[in-house]
Amino acid sequence: MNRKTPVKRVRAKQRRLSAVDRRSEFVTKATELFAEEGFGGGTRALAHKLGVTQPLLYRYFPSKDDLIREVYRKVYLEPLEIGWEKVLSDRSRPLRVRLQEFYEIYTDAIFNRRWLRIRSR
């Protein structure tokens, strides 16, 4: 009578995150998902990847469009808010120098996996 004892899966205890940190984690993972699958990637897959329920995800983002807007802001708009206007409008320096500095900063901001891979399908 060799009965195997059922194996219980023990979930690693996750530390409790603040609402701000949890939201940030959701955006980071959504960015990864959308970089792989485009904006067509589902919230169910995202919730699974995060190890949370889909309803919890919707508590932070009432709709998928809200989540997409936040990912778009984080990936495309936030990097643009680093003072490019000041670099370009500083007339105390030659235009060539200003443009070169601008394009160096610009390429550093956009030539990354997230910026290049996120797309809609």
Side-chain angles (χ1 to χ4, degrees):
M1 241 173 135
N2 286 333
R3 283 187 145 179
K4 291 185 178 179
T5 310
V7 177
K8 288 186 179 179
R9 290 186 183 183
V10 179
R11 259 178 69 165
K13 194 168 188 174
Q14 293 180 341
R15 65 181 182 88
R16 194 154 174 89
L17 298 174
S18 71
V20 171
D21 290 342
R22 172 76 65 189
R23 183 178 169 87
S24 178
E25 178 187 37
F26 288 176
V27 171
T28 299
K29 291 292 185 184
T31 301
E32 293 171 11
L33 178 74
F34 295 148
E36 289 299 319
E37 299 182 18
F39 287 124
T43 56
R44 184 170 287 130
L46 176 60
H48 180 73
K49 186 174 188 167
L50 286 162
V52 299
T53 63
Q54 196 174 16
L56 179 63
L57 184 59
Y58 280 112
R59 283 178 64 194
Y60 287 87
F61 299 96
S63 71
K64 183 177 175 184
D65 285 342
D66 291 330
L67 178 59
I68 288 172
R69 272 192 283 282
E70 184 61 22
V71 168
Y72 183 86
R73 187 192 67 73
K74 186 84 170 161
V75 172
Y76 293 108
L77 300 180
E78 201 172 89
L80 303 180
E81 300 170 358
I82 55 177
W84 292 348
E85 186 178 318
K86 287 182 181 181
V87 169
L88 291 171
S89 63
D90 180 6
R91 293 185 180 242
S92 67
R93 300 174 339 154
L95 178 59
R96 181 183 182 101
V97 173
R98 290 182 277 157
L99 286 173
Q100 185 173 359
E101 182 179 351
F102 164 74
Y103 281 115
E104 286 173 4
I105 297 168
Y106 176 74
T107 55
D108 286 345
I110 68 163
F111 287 136
N112 65 60
R113 187 172 191 282
R114 293 181 314 161
W115 181 288
L116 298 173
R117 291 279 307 175
I118 292 183
R119 68 205 180 280
S120 60
R121 285 191 172 173

